[in-house]
Amino acid sequence: MQASGQTTVREAVLHLLRSFGMTTIFGNPGSTELPMFRNFPDDFRYVLGLQESISLGMADGFAQATRNAALVNLHSAVGVGHALGNLFTAYKNGTPLVVTAGQQARSILPYEPFLFAQQPAEFPKPYVKWSCEPARAEDVPGAIARAYYIAMQPPRGPTFVSIPVDDWDRPCEPVEPRRVSRTIRGDSEMLAEIGEALSLAERPAFVVGAGLARDDGWDEVVALAERHQAAVWVSPMAARNAFPEDHPLFAGFLVAGRERIVSALAGHDLVLALGAPLFVYHVEGFGPHLPHGTRLFQLVDDPSAASWLPVGTSVVTNVKLGLAELLEGPAPRRREPPAPIRRPDRLTGMPFSDGYLLQQVAASMPKGAIVVEEAPSSRGPMHDHLPITTRDGFYTCASGGLGHGLPAAIGVALGRPGEKVVAILGDGSAMYAIQGLWTAAQLQLPISFVIVNNRRYEALIGFGRLFGLQQTVGTDLPGIDFCAIAEGQGVAAQRVASPTELDQALARSFGASGPSLVEVVVD
């Protein structure tokens, strides 16, 4: 224990966390983490997840919603292992997190003690921006500070610090927070060149991605698109919404295939990618990356994404600031607006499809509600029937992994208190993190969990057809009672098996002040 009047590592770290606005801690505690919470201060809150991946997913949603790094506290080795799937997703999402993990006492590390982590700083790589186990207890506060600054620097992402259990009560010198710039300003000459090219283009198109939403460039991209009468596409697999999908210039969603992207962008002589890698491929493709004669320019805050772009010109910049410079560029030539996209016909409910469900969700969910989605096989119908029209109104998983959506919805609800969250989850996806419902119930968060139950891994069955598989193994999911699971964790639930029951069930859920679940059995 420390001598009287000295600062402990714990006190120094808590002081830093307060200064950084990180007074919410997500975790699932183990033995090597307990001393961190001795005399836990009243101005901090601990959000318990019933498994480490859920804790990390909640922190991811919270950090995205608050635009500040969140703190995740994991158990050594095995706890970190449990969380790695959602750590990978946070890395792909560009989510700033400071992840700490316990380690056994320094004095017994030479003897490979029970519940210790071997090479702990290496374990979460390469899906953290920086990681360390400090050489001395006194170095822990400085490591936490560095982890925060790096997590918040663009491109944002997770960092990791392993902390031996006996470090927390050791004396140390306090570490004061510093101001560290988080803004990247792009090359003004290159931006001026893009502005000139944009003004001269005959038929420009924009492709917007999650980086634009992270940089809060909603107003700027709407203004620039309207100024240039540019069609606006969403980049493949975009994890955030960056443009209103009911806007006349909205053109639709690019598909993650080379030939499909080329076909969609045909006829555009200039493409401006904003916070988007653009060339996200999910299946093998061949031929050019762009239509013949099309020029590509990219604004992105990630030097790595700029480096692997196969064609075109990239400017590494805060996208919002880059757009502001483009808005000051030369006046555009006179152009006719692009033809509006054809909106899909309204569905009748026969068959009782996921498209009909999502259409009714769009019609009845509260104005301004936030959609968190993890229903891969329903992504296409969601694009058709559940347009996202409000700023920061949509969150999903950039990695393609499962088990993120349900806990992320909890984190978003915590980060945006008082706002309704609608979590659209596939039945298979939901089961990766179903015990997250317990946390939602304990905190009484206003979340409507809507389970699209098609009783199988539908996305895999569809993908199997691409490989010529007539039958896929291990894809059926019969006999899961989501209402029983929800009610067993304290969440009110209702099962819907026909369109006549749907609207009333959705209205009840959307009107609830706490969490509720609607299981919808679709054809």
Side-chain angles (χ1 to χ4, degrees), residues 4 25 34 52 56 63 84 93 102 167 171 174 187 200 235 251 259 287 328-329 340 415 418 443 490 496 500:
S4 176
I25 300 174
L34 291 177
E52 289 87 349
L56 203 138
L84 280 180
N93 283 351
D167 282 3
D187 185 307
L200 297 175
S235 66
E259 295 88 347
E328 295 176 357
L443 299 174
V496 172
T500 58

Side-chain angles (χ1 to χ4, degrees), residues 241-254:
N241 67 306
F243 193 82
E245 294 170 22
D246 58 350
H247 194 284
L249 293 173
F250 179 70
F253 298 85
L254 295 179

Side-chain angles (χ1 to χ4, degrees), residues 70-368:
L71 183 70
V72 189
N73 180 246
L74 303 176
H75 194 28
S76 58
V78 173
V80 177
H82 286 163
L84 280 180
N86 273 336
L87 183 67
F88 170 63
T89 292
Y91 181 79
K92 290 293 188 180
N93 283 351
T95 303
L97 298 176
V98 176
V99 181
T100 64
Q103 171 66 299
Q104 268 290 5
R106 291 178 187 271
S107 63
I108 59 174
L109 285 177
Y111 313 115
E112 299 204 2
F114 190 62
L115 290 177
F116 95 114
Q118 189 171 23
Q119 298 182 342
E122 300 301 312
F123 193 18
K125 290 181 179 179
Y127 301 119
V128 290
K129 293 179 66 180
W130 178 78
S131 66
C132 81
E133 183 174 274
R136 306 177 304 158
E138 299 93 317
D139 300 327
V140 170
I144 294 292
R146 184 177 179 184
Y148 176 76
Y149 301 138
I150 293 174
M152 292 296 291
Q153 288 168 351
R156 294 181 174 186
T159 56
F160 178 83
V161 183
S162 172
I163 306 171
V165 67
D166 54 340
D167 282 3
W168 292 104
D169 291 309
R170 298 291 178 88
C172 71
E173 293 294 325
V175 174
E176 292 302 320
R178 301 182 300 114
R179 295 178 64 198
V180 177
S181 173
R182 305 172 189 167
T183 303
I184 299 174
R185 287 188 174 272
D187 185 307
S188 292
E189 290 187 8
M190 293 184 71
L191 289 168
E193 291 175 13
I194 296 174
E196 182 70 24
L198 187 57
S199 72
L200 297 175
E202 293 185 5
R203 191 168 176 241
F206 295 173
V207 177
V208 298
L212 176 57
R214 289 193 295 268
D215 285 348
D216 196 25
W218 178 277
D219 290 338
E220 289 80 3
V221 72
V222 170
L224 191 69
E226 291 174 349
R227 186 178 192 224
H228 289 278
Q229 292 297 298
V232 181
W233 294 85
V234 176
S235 66
M237 306 294 188
R240 296 280 298 275
N241 67 306
F243 193 82
E245 294 170 22
D246 58 350
H247 194 284
L249 293 173
F250 179 70
F253 298 85
L254 295 179
V255 177
R258 186 183 298 197
E259 295 88 347
R260 298 281 297 274
I261 292 173
V262 171
S263 175
L265 297 178
H268 294 291
D269 57 333
L270 182 146
V271 173
L272 178 61
L274 299 165
L278 182 58
F279 302 116
V280 177
Y281 300 140
H282 194 197
V283 294
E284 187 178 20
F286 303 94
H289 296 281
L290 282 174
H292 178 71
T294 300
R295 301 176 69 188
L296 172 64
F297 298 95
Q298 178 193 48
L299 272 57
V300 67
D301 72 352
D302 185 353
S304 175
S307 72
W308 63 254
L309 194 76
V311 295
T313 298
S314 296
V315 177
V316 178
T317 183
N318 174 283
V319 183
K320 183 184 183 79
L321 297 180
L323 284 169
E325 291 203 34
L326 293 181
L327 281 166
E328 295 176 357
R333 66 190 302 168
R334 184 176 178 82
R335 305 184 183 102
E336 292 298 319
I341 62 172
R342 182 183 180 277
R343 300 292 177 177
D345 296 333
R346 285 192 60 79
L347 303 176
T348 65
M350 297 300 292
F352 189 31
S353 64
D354 54 355
Y356 180 78
L357 162 62
L358 294 164
Q359 170 186 281
Q360 299 311 103
V361 168
S364 59
M365 73 180 187
K367 183 177 176 59

